[in-house]
Amino acid sequence: LLMSTGKRGRGRKRGDGGLFEDEYDSARAYHVSIPRSLRAVLYADWKQISSGALVALPATPPLQKIYEAYVSSSSSLTKSHLNIIQDFIGLFNNMLSLNLLYKEERKQFKILYDSTPNFVPGEVYGASHFLRLFVRLPVMLKELNRTVKSRDLESIRQAAGQFLKFMESRKDTYFTSRYELKDL
């Protein structure tokens, strides 16, 4: 018979300041709200890819065309706001292969990268891949917090929110869900 010491479990107590909890809480402060309908797109995308399909590329429309449509959709966008969106596209172009693609998609990327001179992901990939950037954005904003002022972080969050609303309003055009079975 084991004697009880009165202690329950061996895990950490809530709120003890563990590393994971601190990182989670601080990343939550930079949360970007992804509309419910776009979260459903993310889920459907993951489900297709995990079942052996890949998004057909080049995407229709590619991210660069989506950005151009966004710019022409409103005359009230400030230069600062547009710079933030351009920075998102730059992040996307740099992060795509290692941070935004599922393992199953990386071979497709490599084939495109190797066969296309001056390859720019934003000219080939579209909204479904770009949407994944916004899932990762809170952690990236947390990292930027060391060098960016809090009012600039709020501007970044606002620009992200407006761009997501724009994509949501054109969901049927930008998220066409063309998939093909992978045989790479």
Side-chain angles (χ1 to χ4, degrees), residues 55-66 92-93 96 108-109 111-113 115-129 178:
V55 175
L57 296 175
T60 307
L63 178 56
Q64 191 58 42
K65 295 289 183 194
I66 295 170
F92 174 80
N93 288 334
L96 179 68
Q108 180 187 38
F109 175 87
I111 290 169
L112 285 167
Y113 182 82
S115 65
T116 309
N118 303 316
F119 179 73
V120 178
E123 295 174 359
V124 177
Y125 288 83
S128 62
H129 289 94
R178 285 187 8 218

Side-chain angles (χ1 to χ4, degrees), residues 38 41 55 58-63 65-66 69-70 126-128 166-178:
L38 295 184
V41 166
V55 175
T60 307
L63 178 56
K65 295 289 183 194
I66 295 170
Y70 180 66
S128 62
F166 170 80
M167 289 197 313
E168 180 185 35
S169 71
R170 290 160 177 78
K171 185 178 108 177
D172 294 337
T173 303
Y174 294 159
F175 300 97
T176 56
S177 301
R178 285 187 8 218

Side-chain angles (χ1 to χ4, degrees), residues 50-168:
S50 61
S51 70
L54 297 175
V55 175
L57 296 175
T60 307
L63 178 56
Q64 191 58 42
K65 295 289 183 194
I66 295 170
Y67 171 73
E68 291 167 9
Y70 180 66
V71 170
S72 65
S73 73
S74 176
S75 60
S76 64
L77 298 173
T78 65
K79 183 173 174 57
S80 169
H81 180 89
L82 293 175
N83 286 340
I84 291 169
I85 302 301
Q86 287 173 340
D87 287 345
F88 288 155
I89 293 170
L91 274 172
F92 174 80
N93 288 334
N94 289 320
M95 291 181 60
L96 179 68
S97 65
L98 295 176
N99 296 299
L100 301 177
L101 293 178
Y102 295 108
K103 184 176 87 172
E104 297 85 354
E105 296 175 301
R106 291 189 181 132
K107 190 171 183 181
Q108 180 187 38
F109 175 87
K110 182 166 177 21
I111 290 169
L112 285 167
Y113 182 82
D114 290 344
S115 65
T116 309
N118 303 316
F119 179 73
V120 178
E123 295 174 359
V124 177
Y125 288 83
S128 62
H129 289 94
F130 189 58
L131 188 55
R132 299 174 195 175
L133 177 77
F134 295 98
V135 173
R136 306 280 243 142
L137 196 57
V139 173
M140 291 186 306
L141 290 177
K142 178 187 165 290
E143 291 300 316
L144 285 174
N145 189 31
R146 295 182 180 115
T147 59
V148 178
K149 296 176 185 163
S150 62
R151 74 169 194 269
D152 293 335
L153 285 172
E154 187 55 35
S155 295
I156 291 168
R157 288 181 62 212
Q158 287 177 357
Q162 286 179 324
F163 195 80
L164 287 167
K165 285 178 186 173
F166 170 80
M167 289 197 313
E168 180 185 35

Side-chain angles (χ1 to χ4, degrees), residues 21-36:
E21 185 175 303
D22 290 345
E23 286 185 11
Y24 176 75
D25 287 343
S26 62
R28 271 184 72 163
Y30 304 109
H31 175 73
V32 173
S33 181
I34 298 173
R36 182 176 298 233

